[in-house]
Amino acid sequence: MPTFSLQLQKLIQPGYVVSGKFDGSHACLAAATPSGNILVHSPHRQPASNIEVEQSQGKLAWSGELAKLQIGKQVTALCTGHFGEDERDVLLVGTATHVLAYLIEDNADLFYKEMRDGVHSAVIGKLGWLSSQVAVIGGNCSVTVLDSQGTEIYWTVMGDLVTSVMVFDFDGDGCNELLAGTEDFEVRAQKEDSVLWEMKETAPVTALTPLPNRQFAYAVRNGTVGVYESNQRLWRVKSKHRVVAIRGFDVNGDGIAELVTGWSSGKVDARTAKTGDVIFRIQLNAGIAGVIDADYRRTGRSDLVILSATGELRGYASGSAVDTLEAGEIKRDLMLKKQALQLELQQRASITYQDSRLIIDISSSRGAVRLNFASGPGLLVYCAIVFAEGVFEGETLVSHPSKPRGELEIELKPPNNGPIDIHVKACVGPPGTDVFQVFEQTRQLPRFCMYEVTGHPENFSEDIQGYGVIADVAERAQRIILWLNQCFLLSEELEIPEEGPNAGSIELWLRGFRDNKIHCFRSTPTGKINIETEDAAFAGDIIQSLATYLGLRELSSEAKFPTEEQRMTEALERVKGLKEVESKLQAEVAGGLTQLKDLVIRLEDARILEDVENMKKRLVQLRSVNGDLIREHEIRMKSHGEFTAALKELNVGVQRASRLRVGRAAANAVSRCRSAIHAENPKALILAIRHG
């Protein structure tokens, strides 16, 4: 049973619910509404007067315990936190173009700043390499850090739209790192200029939340929620419903926080962080809008506060929110488990196939990775189930041939370069049987399994031999060979020639299955590598993988990718042109608004004078001006969309340039590229891409 329950009678935008102590002592709730406003609920607020609605000079208008903060735009991010020694929490509101830091108690802006990359996620916290509390803003392929005055003090590039950010001690050194989840399925942990860890999920990462013992939880758009302990995933579950909110809270009162998840179906469940077992579950009548922990009753202990999309508010105290099963339900569950185990024992006892075995081989040919099954003599493969994250739609493929046979082949086409764990189950048995022996195996696909080794191609263009990246890793060729054997799917292990003119050197020609392009990897006996390719993304993946394997913290390089350079300079020109168009459109809108205000005043004068003819004339003029403003707004929205797309293209290019280096060299490449973009200098941008 809930500890308290009330109805706000307001529609709430799912995913945008936070809590904060805006006066420094009392917990309040803030939530975004679909109409572009922020609703603030303060259950312990004392009204300033007996007037039901308190008027204010600021943006905030109170009505009893509720207040409405008018934003005027769709809210895209919402968080709370405090800066410096001030114990009062600040409400941070993000939109597609601006970020607002608002002091609820003072009813005034702390700062209001235009964000060129937009605001798609935000958090206030302390990063280990900075001296004070900051606001971390996730934007369009970028993360920006602002101080308490709204001044930018740090900026870094990401691979796609940043949908979630978190401040968290990832490596256990006592200082917080930056964790970010992006639209391209990636979770990244970063300390200043160094990337500590990267992981690809199966869908865009929509939420991150810290848990005790260096654990953190994540949610992705396809209904998956899970927990990592540092860089190791402990568990994950998937639902057909969308995850709206995740939060750590001690549900059962044992002193350890569980993971509480709010779903779009209206369900809220709590799972143990270590195993994912469900210990608490409730169902609301509407979808969940947010889950927070706050001392809402002023007892000195936080409650689990749940808000639905229709405004229903419930609170549960720690230790009182655990479902207890009746004795009959426990007995029924145990009987079901007993029956399942007995059935499994009967099936295992009936399977006595001689020479029963299953051989699974992984190879690459004909444009894909091939998973080959071969059963023992006299046995057939009836069915194979392959589970692989991000490879299949739905993550699982079931191959059930109409005519069972002794061999079965399944085609795999991973979309990204990264190691992938595959879990295989195969049903094997003699002809005509209805009882099968199930074989289970786990394998890992190498990071670059979608590239096959080929000889020197005859049609390889001489024009692109100077393209690619050159770096000096200063490492023995034996270690580079070990890395190649580990990261590529090879029919036989590579060896270093010990004699002849190429002694100690490595030359490996590759063909990509995704685009059929040719790449060449070369290494000298002194550890100087040369990656000849037109694909800057592939070259960056190679550099990052090799640097991680060799434990390199710093690596500079020289790069030449004419196609990438041309794409970046064209995007820069588009940004420049769209900024000029935006300035003209703003001037036209300002003129239209002035004309609109003048017509409204003249219309009001005609109404007071009861001049019907003049009123009709002004109304016609108003309709015409309003129509012009609507058309100009549509043009501005289209222009803004093109501007955002061009900025994203630039930021993606900056990230590719940074991934060709490691450590300080990567940070310098980002800084120089960004300076060139701000200065609208294409020559400086090309030099930054090439030399870092």
Side-chain angles (χ1 to χ4, degrees):
M1 293 293 293
T3 307
F4 64 87
S5 178
L6 56 98
Q7 179 59 251
L8 300 183
Q9 297 181 344
K10 300 286 185 180
L11 293 179
I12 307 298
Q13 187 175 349
Y16 298 94
V17 179
V18 295
S19 66
K21 296 181 178 180
F22 301 124
D23 61 355
S25 57
H26 300 102
C28 301
L29 178 145
T33 65
S35 57
N37 296 317
I38 302 296
L39 185 71
V40 180
H41 180 243
S42 178
H44 305 289
R45 182 177 182 276
Q46 298 297 325
S49 66
N50 294 327
I51 302 175
E52 184 180 8
V53 179
E54 304 167 24
Q55 299 297 335
S56 167
Q57 298 297 323
K59 301 178 182 179
L60 201 68
W62 284 95
S63 177
E65 296 180 353
L66 291 175
K68 184 171 69 173
L69 176 63
Q70 295 183 353
I71 302 300
K73 297 180 180 179
Q74 183 180 2
V75 176
T76 56
L78 192 66
C79 72
T80 59
H82 63 88
F83 294 103
E85 298 179 357
D86 192 348
E87 295 182 353
R88 299 180 303 170
D89 283 336
V90 174
L91 180 65
L92 201 68
V93 184
T95 67
T97 56
H98 291 80
V99 61
L100 167 67
Y102 199 77
L103 295 169
I104 297 293
E105 197 67 16
D106 294 345
N107 201 359
D109 295 354
L110 179 62
F111 63 80
Y112 183 69
K113 182 179 180 65
E114 181 179 1
M115 300 299 294
R116 190 176 183 181
D117 296 327
V119 182
H120 300 279
S121 54
V123 67
I124 297 176
K126 174 71 170 62
L127 289 170
W129 66 88
L130 298 174
S131 59
S132 58
Q133 296 278 111
V134 292
V136 183
I137 309 296
N140 187 9
C141 302
S142 68
V143 171
T144 306
V145 176
L146 307 176
D147 64 10
S148 59
Q149 303 303 314
T151 304
E152 180 183 315
I153 57 176
Y154 177 80
W155 186 91
T156 190
V157 70
M158 292 287 174
D160 207 332
L161 192 111
V162 181
T163 50
S164 53
V165 287
M166 179 176 69
V167 174
F168 178 71
D169 183 9
F170 179 81
D171 56 7
D173 63 350
C175 298
N176 290 331
E177 285 77 47
L178 168 66
L179 262 71
T182 57
E183 192 81 16
D184 63 348
F185 309 176
E186 188 174 76
V187 183
R188 178 194 291 186
Q190 187 163 335
K191 182 192 288 287
E192 199 170 2
D193 301 322
S194 302
V195 177
L196 303 180
W197 172 74
E198 294 176 301
M199 176 59 69
K200 284 282 187 180
E201 287 300 328
T202 57
V205 181
T206 57
L208 296 167
T209 193
L211 295 171
N213 304 319
R214 292 179 60 193
Q215 298 172 353
F216 68 92
Y218 72 97
V220 298
R221 194 169 292 165
N222 63 3
T224 298
V225 63
V227 169
Y228 277 94
E229 184 172 342
S230 188
N231 59 358
Q232 297 294 323
R233 183 193 290 146
L234 299 181
W235 57 268
R236 69 171 192 152
V237 295
K238 186 177 180 181
S239 170
K240 64 181 180 180
H241 301 292
R242 182 173 60 88
V243 179
V244 176
I246 52 176
R247 174 73 58 176
F249 183 78
D250 183 11
V251 173
N252 54 12
D254 63 352
I256 301 175
E258 287 76 37
L259 174 62
V260 181
T261 307
W263 303 82
S264 59
S265 61
K267 181 181 73 172
V268 177
D269 57 40
R271 300 173 182 269
T272 57
K274 200 72 177 177
T275 63
D277 296 333
V278 178
I279 64 170
F280 166 67
R281 183 185 292 113
I282 61 170
Q283 181 69 44
L284 272 65
N285 296 325
I288 301 301
V291 178
I292 59 174
D293 60 292
D295 184 11
Y296 231 53
R297 297 176 295 143
R298 297 182 66 184
T299 61
R301 298 182 62 187
S302 292
D303 296 323
L304 178 65
V305 182
I306 302 166
L307 182 63
S308 76
T310 56
E312 181 183 2
L313 190 68
R314 292 189 190 181
Y316 294 85
S318 177
S320 67
V322 181
D323 289 341
T324 55
L325 299 176
E326 297 180 359
E329 293 178 346
I330 296 174
K331 184 177 180 180
R332 185 162 52 251
D333 289 343
L334 291 175
M335 289 298 296
L336 290 173
K337 291 180 181 179
K338 179 182 177 182
Q339 292 174 4
L341 290 171
Q342 287 177 339
L343 180 61
E344 184 177 351
L345 284 173
Q346 291 174 3
Q347 291 178 343
R348 288 181 179 271
S350 64
I351 300 175
T352 57
Y353 303 141
Q354 189 176 5
D355 295 330
S356 60
R357 63 178 183 270
L358 182 72
I359 299 173
I360 300 178
D361 177 61
I362 302 176
S363 61
S364 59
S365 61
R366 306 191 308 278
V369 178
R370 306 285 167 178
L371 195 60
N372 302 294
F373 299 81
S375 60
L379 300 177
L380 304 176
V381 180
Y382 282 80
C383 175
I385 303 171
V386 182
F387 172 83
E389 295 181 17
V391 177
F392 312 112
E393 185 177 354
E395 301 180 15
T396 304
L397 175 70
V398 179
S399 180
H400 196 292
S402 57
K403 185 178 180 181
R405 50 186 182 271
E407 296 181 355
L408 181 65
E409 181 181 274
I410 294 178
E411 181 180 275
L412 307 177
K413 290 185 176 181
N416 302 304
N417 296 330
I420 298 174
D421 292 324
I422 58 173
H423 305 274
V424 178
K425 292 183 180 181
C427 299
V428 176
T433 185
D434 58 355
V435 179
F436 309 106
Q437 184 167 353
V438 179
F439 291 88
E440 297 186 33
Q441 289 192 28
T442 299
R443 298 287 187 89
Q444 187 179 68
L445 297 180
R447 179 180 295 273
F448 301 104
C449 62
M450 286 293 286
Y451 298 85
E452 68 172 347
V453 179
T454 182
H456 191 299
E458 296 179 358
N459 59 348
F460 184 68
S461 175
E462 299 292 334
D463 297 336
I464 68 171
Q465 288 191 5
Y467 298 174
V469 59
I470 299 174
D472 191 354
V473 298
E475 187 57 77
R476 294 178 295 114
Q478 286 79 1
R479 290 201 68 191
I480 297 176
I481 277 289
L482 289 174
W483 168 76
L484 288 169
N485 287 327
Q486 176 181 304
C487 290
F488 289 87
L489 196 56
L490 307 171
S491 57
E492 57 183 24
E493 289 192 353
L494 299 172
E495 295 182 358
I496 304 172
E498 298 179 357
E499 298 178 354
N502 296 325
S505 299
I506 303 171
E507 182 173 295
L508 189 67
W509 290 88
L510 303 165
R511 183 187 301 276
F513 288 148
R514 300 185 186 98
D515 52 15
N516 208 35
K517 289 183 178 180
I518 298 294
H519 318 276
C520 181
F521 178 90
R522 291 191 177 94
S523 173
T524 66
T526 59
K528 186 175 183 179
I529 63 170
N530 181 7
I531 306 167
E532 291 188 4
T533 177
E534 294 180 281
D535 190 345
F538 170 72
D541 290 342
I542 291 285
I543 291 291
Q544 294 299 315
S545 176
L546 181 58
T548 301
Y549 182 83
L550 299 177
L552 302 178
R553 295 187 177 181
E554 296 288 338
L555 181 64
S556 58
S557 65
E558 295 291 323
K560 184 179 179 182
F561 295 97
T563 304
E564 185 78 7
E565 294 167 3
Q566 182 180 357
R567 185 182 63 82
M568 291 277 284
T569 53
E570 289 176 353
L572 185 60
E573 289 299 322
R574 289 202 303 274
V575 167
K576 183 178 178 181
L578 289 168
K579 286 173 66 176
E580 294 174 356
V581 171
E582 178 69 16
S583 299
K584 293 179 181 178
L585 290 174
Q586 286 181 350
E588 291 176 1
V589 169
L593 288 174
T594 302
Q595 187 179 1
L596 190 68
K597 292 176 183 177
D598 181 63
L599 286 172
V600 169
I601 294 172
R602 291 177 180 275
L603 175 63
E604 183 65 13
D605 291 342
R607 185 190 66 80
I608 294 171
L609 297 173
E610 297 182 355
D611 187 349
V612 178
E613 291 300 324
N614 243 335
M615 284 179 62
K616 290 180 179 179
K617 181 180 178 181
R618 301 306 178 195
L619 284 171
V620 171
Q621 291 174 334
L622 272 174
R623 182 181 300 175
S624 175
V625 173
N626 186 55
D628 292 340
L629 287 173
I630 291 173
R631 284 189 293 272
E632 289 171 0
H633 175 72
E634 292 173 350
I635 294 171
R636 286 189 67 192
M637 290 298 295
K638 184 178 179 181
S639 176
H640 179 73
E642 294 175 356
F643 181 75
T644 303
L647 275 181
K648 179 178 180 179
E649 195 169 348
L650 282 173
N651 286 344
V652 169
V654 172
Q655 194 211 29
R656 287 177 179 169
S658 71
R659 286 179 63 82
L660 300 173
R661 290 100 185 168
V662 177
R664 177 58 60 181
N668 290 340
V670 171
S671 178
R672 290 187 62 189
C673 286
R674 195 179 185 214
S675 297
I677 291 170
H678 279 299
E680 298 177 352
N681 188 338
K683 291 184 179 179
L685 180 60
I686 291 174
L687 289 175
I689 295 171
R690 291 185 177 182
H691 309 297

